[in-house]
Amino acid sequence: MNYSTLKKSVAFSLVSLMAVGAVKAQTATTPTAKVFGGSGQYNTWSLGVNVGATSPMLATGGSSDFNGNVVNLGYGVSVRDQLAHSFGLQLDVRGGKVAGNSGSAPFVTDGVTFNNYVSYSTTFVQGSLSGVVNVATIDYLRRKNAINFFATGGVGLASYTPTIVGYGTNGTDGATLKWPKHVMEFVIPIGVGAKFRLTDQIALNLGYTENFIDGDNFDGVRKSYPTKDRYSYGYAGLEFTLGPKSKPSLEWVNPVAMMYDELYDEALRQEVAALKGRVTNVENAVNDLKKDSDGDGVADQFDKCPGTPAGTVVDGSGCAIVFPKIDTSLFVRKPIGGAAVAAYSNIQFEFDSSVLRTSSYPVLDASSADLRASGSGVELDGYASSEGTAAHNMALSKDRANSVKTYLVNSGVDAKKVKIKAFGETHPIADNSTEEGRVLNRRVQFKKK
């Protein structure tokens, strides 16, 4: 790529970016910026011009082939698209001259031997694409930003032609040698700066960029151990925001102020007030539903019998429930063809068995009815005759008591009010030496509490 081709490429890129920015600015129609409303609400494209001073020395230090510093003129133009509050992409085209002096040590260039070199001067044109990071986008002290500090970094191409002056052999004393062709190499620009808002459309830029050339030709001297050349550019310039004046520039918008304004938007405040009213109405309705003047557990809105006395058992409509009187005659079961059976009579069992006899059911039913009506508790004491071992008889008496408890619980008696105890063959009520006595000892006795 020659110098003419580079200029055409840079010019085409610049025009293309400006055209895209103009189209984008014309097609965006959102008049008022909203939080999370997108970049179409803002002017994001800008055009800048700058002028400044170039130097072979860097503020960060480092060695150079020339010890003397010569300051020359530099200039540039830029086009930037602000992609977010804090980040944008910028195309820079810069040109000018970089020069240095007080060189030393012999060198050879283009077949001519120089005992030492005196100075150099390099003209250049450079195009680069960089990311621009604003480090002061959010401001809690002012509603609108007035100063932005930024850092840049990118990559580009530099086209340059060095000219060197040196004293040497072969009739070359005081000779000036200009390179016969342009050199094209990559360059990495890294910089910092501050931007001052003059108006909504114009800003003043002050910046400093260090440019690192990917080669050892920028100063016209190529050493046997090549080192990368570099130069710096300090500049001041103006930047012009592109787009309609009705839109703010995205770079200068303070997101905190936008959120504050949106919270105090009149329409939003009216909606919040209306929402509060609806919430109040719902709370009042809930309180009405919860109101129970007579304390019967039924809200006044549904209470068909208001003013019931405290402690009255009511139904779902708030009216007292009238329970039927219990017929105590049910406590005594009269078996078919037999005499009346009293509740809480002993329950007898067969030999070595804990299965209830059907003849015991009337006594159990009468006992259950009385326990459910009175709410009393009962203790069931299980016994056995003396056949078998004492341990076996103890387990058998417990099983008999549990059989009676199971029947009572299944008939509706509260299990918590039924306790069991096992006594085995102890406490007989008849003589265990006779069969008649042993039959009476196989029993469960009720002990009402």
Side-chain angles (χ1 to χ4, degrees), residues 114-186:
F114 287 82
N115 289 331
N116 61 62
Y117 46 89
V118 178
S119 63
Y120 80 95
S121 175
T122 300
T123 57
F124 72 94
V125 173
Q126 174 180 309
S128 61
L129 182 65
S130 301
V132 182
V133 179
N134 292 333
V135 295
T137 302
I138 297 177
D139 193 341
Y140 291 95
L141 301 178
R142 289 169 289 274
R143 293 185 54 80
K144 196 169 185 179
N145 295 340
I147 303 175
N148 273 347
F149 298 95
F150 61 87
T152 65
V155 64
L157 285 175
S159 175
Y160 56 87
T161 303
T163 300
I164 56 175
V165 177
Y167 295 91
T169 59
N170 303 325
T172 59
D173 291 343
T176 298
L177 176 64
K178 183 175 183 179
W179 283 50
K181 59 181 180 179
H182 293 284
V183 180
M184 184 80 69
E185 285 180 321
F186 285 106

Side-chain angles (χ1 to χ4, degrees), residues 166-237:
Y167 295 91
T169 59
N170 303 325
T172 59
D173 291 343
T176 298
L177 176 64
K178 183 175 183 179
W179 283 50
K181 59 181 180 179
H182 293 284
V183 180
M184 184 80 69
E185 285 180 321
F186 285 106
V187 60
I188 298 178
I190 299 176
V192 293
K195 185 175 297 185
F196 303 85
R197 182 172 59 84
L198 303 181
T199 69
D200 289 341
Q201 282 75 38
I202 303 175
L204 172 65
N205 282 353
L206 299 179
Y208 178 80
T209 305
E210 294 183 347
N211 300 271
F212 298 90
I213 309 296
D214 187 27
D216 191 27
N217 302 308
F218 194 74
D219 57 9
V221 177
R222 291 175 294 193
K223 292 186 176 181
S224 57
Y225 296 99
T227 57
K228 305 294 184 180
D229 291 329
R230 68 260 194 225
Y231 76 95
S232 62
Y233 176 52
Y235 61 90

